[in-house]
Amino acid sequence: MSQYSIWVLEYSYVRKFHRSAVVYGTHNQGHVKLPYCYTVIKGNGHVAMVDVGYNDKDHGKVMADTLGVEAWQSPRTVLAEIGLKPEDVDSIFISHAHFDHFGNVEAFPKATFYIQEREIAKWVWAMALPERMRWVLQGIDVGDIMRGVELARDRRLACVDGDVHNVLPGIDLHAAPDTHTYGSMWVKVRNDGREDSQDVWVLAGDLVYQLENLGDSGAGGAPDGQYIPIGLATGSQTNLIMAVDQMVRAVGNETRRVIPIHEERLAGRFPHRISRHGLRISEVCLAEGQASLVR
Amino acid sequence: MSRLRATMPTLAPDPRAIAYGVAAQRAFANLRALIGQLSGLLILAQAKLGRDVAGLPDVAIARERWHETMEALAALVPPAGRENDRAGLARAASHIESALAAITQIRRGREGATIDAASAHLRAAYTQMQDLCDHRIGLGMVDMSDACAACGKLFDATWQTTPIGGSDNA
């Protein structure tokens, strides 16, 4: 019996994103659409999310404009598509501190946020580096870090150190240090609630952008190609490969159960509909008794 | 022209303006990094209750960087129309100095008030710097100039043609 429903909600997108930034080494191979999404996990009396997107004002908007992001909609508008409000969300797992994942915490006034302590500690270290090394800071909005101070003051920011088992019943956090960022993490949902679950979903954050990173040619079964890392690693590509293998093994080699939120081809993999704002709602799985919200 | 322009220096022909842009960027980037660094320390101090951050090497590094920034500010010679920048940056630096002083007072078990004080100063510094943002000369609170996929509007041609000192509010 499935305990949680999972939806991937698109809140904006980049129409043409260099493919080489998504799949390592694919230089001069054109562009792909890059959806920007967050994930909702609902069940067991909880509404949880993986990441919160960015706020399309001030400096979040500068970053988004620089990357060519368009069609942004607020969490209130996006969550309404599945009958939720930001105030309903009680737990948020931040996969990493880049602006498009950690940039809108103020929209969720009642949530407790979970982030790897290493993610904060290493950004602190990186910000102390000389200006000539500023490359390592890309994707970070100082304003987001400041808002984290407020969350911590309100006891709504939990800095976790490594893996966390049952952060919510049947939901585990897994650290992936020195990969996409210094303290990235991925989320495992054991949807039957069992320790030896046969119904695992992995929410990959930015450790996987697209199917190629999983060695998945589109069949969604066991990897039928080699893992190719994403194009951006503040840590190392080797660590990314290792983290991907951990995720694939966690889902019993069924790559369709590893969810890459920046993958437009999720539309062909899970039931979905397009909102009146032109944004996709993908329904990954449904808890017992939960009616479909996309059919 | 929007204030929110890509983070690239203008190529105005006046050498004095170019020198100013480079010098101002250095000071601005240092102050921006200090706000982020000290904010991160405050998160860690609160998330791990009782952590004594005052003795961390990060604090000494921040103080050293603050002194470097003050030297850069003192050497800043703004061209006509940008005279207020240096005073604004100095005000931001002063708030950061106060935040640093508060952080050195954080002690295990009685960190609340000092963290609040440090946080307030960092917010004030951030607000001050927001008011000084001018992306035509590289003064921005975010820097995406080296981003992996800065393919959107980064090369908007207008950044090259708007002179320093002109209105940024039109």
Side-chain angles (χ1 to χ4, degrees):
Chain A
M1 187 175 94
S2 294
Q3 300 183 328
Y4 292 100
S5 303
I6 301 175
W7 294 276
V8 176
L9 305 177
E10 185 179 24
Y11 69 88
S12 63
Y13 54 80
V14 179
R15 197 179 300 266
K16 285 179 66 178
F17 199 86
H18 286 291
R19 189 162 186 266
S20 57
V22 173
V23 181
Y24 184 86
T26 54
H27 308 299
N28 301 313
Q29 293 186 27
H31 301 83
V32 293
K33 180 189 172 188
L34 195 77
Y36 278 38
C37 305
Y38 30 71
T39 306
V40 171
I41 309 167
K42 182 185 174 196
N44 265 340
H46 292 282
V47 177
M49 291 178 66
V50 180
D51 298 329
V52 292
Y54 71 93
N55 195 343
D56 198 43
K57 66 177 186 183
D58 298 337
H59 306 295
K61 180 169 174 53
V62 175
M63 299 183 99
D65 285 351
T66 304
L67 293 169
V69 187
E70 54 185 297
W72 183 90
Q73 291 293 325
S74 72
R76 190 163 300 283
T77 298
V78 173
L79 288 174
E81 294 289 340
I82 57 169
L84 293 173
K85 302 186 296 295
E87 294 81 2
D88 297 329
V89 180
D90 57 70
S91 306
I92 297 178
F93 314 124
I94 299 296
S95 67
H96 62 295
H98 280 163
F99 86 104
D100 56 319
H101 298 258
F102 187 45
N104 205 6
V105 297
E106 68 267 37
F108 299 92
K110 295 183 178 174
T112 296
F113 293 76
Y114 297 81
I115 192 168
Q116 288 289 324
E117 180 181 347
R118 182 181 178 82
E119 182 76 347
I120 301 294
K122 289 292 286 189
W123 287 126
V124 168
W125 167 80
M127 284 184 206
L129 293 173
E131 174 69 2
R132 61 185 177 275
M133 298 182 188
R134 71 179 179 193
W135 182 91
V136 300
L137 289 172
Q138 60 178 279
I140 291 295
D141 181 351
V142 167
D144 293 340
I145 306 296
M146 290 187 64
R147 282 181 281 276
V149 177
E150 308 298 315
L151 290 179
R153 186 197 61 199
D154 297 341
R155 301 284 183 260
R156 292 202 296 126
L157 184 67
C159 289
V160 301
D161 185 10
D163 296 351
V164 179
H165 189 63
N166 280 327
V167 62
L168 293 180
I171 299 180
D172 306 328
L173 307 179
H174 289 271
D178 295 326
T179 52
H180 179 54
T181 62
Y182 301 114
S184 286
M185 73 178 179
W186 51 280
V187 178
K188 180 168 73 183
V189 179
R190 291 177 280 109
N191 215 4
D192 53 12
R194 295 172 47 177
E195 292 298 324
D196 60 342
S197 177
Q198 301 301 305
D199 186 13
V200 173
W201 296 96
V202 162
L203 307 165
D206 272 5
L207 298 168
V208 176
Y209 281 153
Q210 300 206 327
L211 302 186
E212 288 81 353
N213 308 132
L214 287 165
D216 178 356
S217 66
D224 45 14
Q226 63 176 326
Y227 303 137
I228 304 175
I230 63 171
L232 174 60
T234 307
S236 87
Q237 308 290 353
T238 300
N239 289 341
L240 270 166
I241 293 286
M242 297 303 175
V244 167
D245 194 54
Q246 274 192 316
M247 291 189 284
V248 169
R249 283 189 283 116
V251 297
N253 279 327
E254 193 180 353
T255 52
R256 66 182 291 276
R257 286 177 171 270
V258 179
I259 309 299
I261 59 165
H262 287 300
E263 172 58 272
E264 179 67 2
R265 288 170 288 183
L266 286 185
R269 182 156 281 186
F270 300 104
H272 73 282
R273 65 180 169 82
I274 304 298
S275 75
R276 64 192 170 91
H277 301 290
L279 300 169
R280 175 170 39 83
I281 300 116
S282 292
E283 195 165 76
V284 173
C285 64
L286 290 174
E288 188 79 12
Q290 169 71 56
S292 171
L293 299 177
V294 301
R295 294 183 193 276
Chain B
M1 177 180 172
S2 167
R3 291 168 70 96
L4 303 179
R5 194 57 74 185
T7 306
M8 295 287 278
T10 184
L11 299 179
D14 179 359
R16 190 162 165 261
I18 293 172
Y20 168 75
V22 170
Q25 275 187 55
R26 188 175 303 135
F28 197 96
N30 271 350
L31 293 174
R32 182 181 62 204
L34 280 167
I35 292 172
Q37 185 189 356
L38 297 179
S39 296
L41 282 175
L42 292 182
I43 290 176
L44 295 172
Q46 294 177 98
K48 295 287 183 185
L49 286 176
R51 171 173 289 191
D52 192 350
V53 298
L56 292 176
D58 306 72
V59 176
I61 292 169
R63 186 171 289 110
E64 187 179 332
R65 191 172 208 171
W66 183 85
H67 283 296
E68 286 172 9
T69 307
M70 295 308 289
E71 288 172 12
L73 276 177
L76 205 56
V77 182
R82 312 291 312 196
E83 293 87 349
N84 290 334
D85 284 7
R86 187 168 63 185
L89 289 169
R91 280 193 293 273
S94 175
H95 280 297
I96 291 170
E97 182 186 32
S98 299
L100 260 169
I103 285 170
T104 58
Q105 298 302 312
I106 294 175
R107 293 291 182 274
R108 188 168 288 128
R110 48 189 176 88
E111 64 275 5
T114 42
I115 287 177
D116 285 349
S119 178
H121 280 297
L122 292 177
R123 281 199 305 275
Y126 186 83
T127 302
Q128 183 68 51
M129 291 183 64
Q130 276 185 307
D131 290 342
L132 296 172
C133 281
D134 185 341
H135 292 263
R136 294 167 304 164
I137 57 170
L139 306 186
M141 294 309 288
V142 294
D143 180 1
M144 295 290 282
S145 55
D146 298 315
C148 62
C151 52
K153 298 178 181 176
L154 184 58
F155 296 109
D156 181 334
T158 53
W159 67 265
Q160 291 187 326
T161 56
T162 308
I164 273 181
S167 168
D168 54 2
N169 291 316

